[in-house]
Amino acid sequence: MATVPATAENIAKAAKALQDGELVAFPTETVYGLGADARNGIAVARIYEAKGRPSFNPLIVHTASFEMADTIGQFSTLARRLAGEFWPGPLTLVVPLRETAGIASLATAGLDTIGIRVPDHPVARRLLSSAAIPVAAPSANLSGHVSPTTASHVQDDLDGKPAMILDGGPTAHGLESTVLDVTGDRAVELRPGAITRDAISSILGQNITNSTAKVDAPMSPGMLASHYAPRTPLRLDTTEILPGEALLAFGPAPLHHHGPMVNLSARADLIEAASRLFAALRQLDRSGASRIAVMPIPDTGLGAAINDRLRRAATAR
Ligand code: TXA
Ligand code: MG
């Protein structure tokens, strides 16, 4: 019986489960989220596995307070103003990540920015303050399905995958949070959602552009790359290493190599490999190698998302 009523006792159990690296589905004012400790790469990898997502996208990190959010991201005057106005609430602010925050690189999909929000739902708030950790949570549905607005939607999609599903009744908005990039001087809407662009514009006294409107505009500091890619070229599915290359290995028998190497998982565990992927790419990117040779990774389970990201990185330039 994974679905339980969101009583004080069950919320306390759920908080403990999150601290222990387990998955918990919980209601927010927008949709139900599938949460995990954002500092625990294995726990975050389990989110992707449970959703069956064929690709890695940065996840929204939920905190109980602005104070905790402020220890994770760098809030400009603009970001602070928006947080002050709309938090707790369905507004996600994308800000520069503090490297000291200890957020798993899989949670931000390797980016050096992070999407954070303080949700406005009594169950989410109690859960987050009692766990006292940042919680990465996408919507609690299978990839490709609609976002869940009741606990039974979550149960239908993810039965048995989260340690607990906290039932807090139907969600109020049924529409995800608005995602706003506030890394630059002006706010840019990355995803329309529960808070309208007009509401944000009238608070700020300035028009909010959306990211599609920015495609034709010149690059500005606020312009976000939506995907992390290393600068060093990648060569995939390799069974040999060429001179000058670094090795991204997988499995118990890595290719013999004296140069820079990271093994994503010596025990060929795809969850472990996913949790290490972005940190490994960054490390090899800094190694000075002229290219990164990547050993074959099975395309099953999380392997599909890992290979998707590696293929994108290989063709990024
Ligand atoms: O209402 C919501 O926001 C729900 C509830 C559970 O809080 N969560 C949710 O999370 O919808 P998710 O992971 O499904 O959506 C995350 C969105 C994606 O569109 C993602 O691209 C964007 O936020 N996002 C997150 N971090 C980002 C970043 N660093 N840069 C750009 N976009 C980011
Ligand atoms: Mg979603």
Side-chain angles (χ1 to χ4, degrees):
M1 252 278 283
T3 303
V4 296
T7 58
E9 194 189 344
N10 286 331
I11 293 174
K13 276 188 199 154
K16 174 77 167 53
L18 285 173
Q19 291 168 341
D20 290 345
E22 297 191 72
L23 302 185
V24 169
F26 62 96
T28 78
E29 76 279 38
T30 58
V31 300
Y32 275 72
L34 180 63
D37 181 354
R39 305 163 311 176
N40 180 335
I42 299 285
V44 174
R46 290 208 182 101
I47 290 179
Y48 285 99
E49 192 192 41
K51 286 182 62 95
R53 261 202 194 172
S55 60
F56 296 124
N57 297 310
L59 303 177
I60 295 171
V61 170
H62 301 68
T63 64
S65 64
F66 175 78
E67 286 66 35
M68 185 186 282
D70 200 27
T71 66
I72 296 168
Q74 297 170 42
F75 286 76
S76 64
T77 308
L78 170 67
R80 243 163 241 284
R81 199 165 149 206
L82 288 165
E85 198 67 44
F86 291 105
W87 284 2
L91 179 68
T92 295
L93 296 172
V94 174
V95 297
L97 173 68
R98 288 190 201 274
E99 289 205 5
T100 51
I103 297 296
S105 57
L106 189 59
T108 60
L111 296 173
D112 46 24
T113 57
I114 185 164
I116 311 182
R117 81 180 187 99
V118 177
D120 184 18
H121 186 288
V123 174
R125 301 206 72 191
R126 261 179 250 142
L127 177 66
L128 291 167
S129 40
S130 113
I133 54 177
V135 172
S139 51
N141 53 279
L142 284 176
S143 175
H145 289 198
V146 295
S147 295
T149 54
T150 66
S152 72
H153 292 165
V154 180
Q155 173 103 37
D156 290 348
D157 259 22
L158 300 178
D159 189 23
K161 290 171 183 168
M164 290 172 81
I165 300 169
L166 286 175
D167 188 349
T171 61
H173 292 276
L175 184 65
E176 275 106 339
S177 64
T178 304
V179 180
L180 217 54
D181 166 12
V182 284
T183 55
D185 296 339
R186 297 177 69 87
V188 178
E189 185 185 69
L190 300 178
R191 178 179 78 181
I195 292 181
T196 64
R197 215 181 300 163
D198 284 350
I200 300 165
S201 298
S202 70
I203 292 292
L204 294 180
Q206 62 175 227
N207 282 332
I208 305 302
T209 45
N210 62 14
S211 55
T212 46
K214 284 197 88 183
V215 167
D216 297 326
M219 281 290 270
S220 73
M223 186 96 171
L224 280 187
S226 55
H227 295 294
Y228 167 76
R231 288 182 309 272
T232 313
L234 264 67
R235 201 163 59 78
L236 304 183
D237 290 321
T238 185
T239 51
E240 53 163 6
I241 307 164
L242 304 176
E245 288 186 335
L247 177 63
L248 187 61
F250 179 82
L255 296 170
H256 187 66
H257 185 49
H258 290 296
M261 166 171 113
V262 176
N263 195 335
L264 286 174
S265 176
R267 50 192 169 90
D269 177 339
L270 289 165
I271 292 179
E272 181 177 57
S275 75
R276 291 183 178 165
L277 177 65
F278 292 101
L281 287 173
R282 277 194 188 263
Q283 186 180 328
L284 296 179
D285 204 17
R286 285 193 304 259
S287 70
S290 59
R291 195 159 42 199
I292 300 169
V294 184
M295 286 176 65
I297 294 167
D299 216 36
T300 53
L302 275 182
I306 295 172
N307 284 323
D308 168 78
R309 180 46 49 102
L310 289 169
R311 272 192 302 272
R312 287 173 197 242
T315 56
R317 270 144 302 271

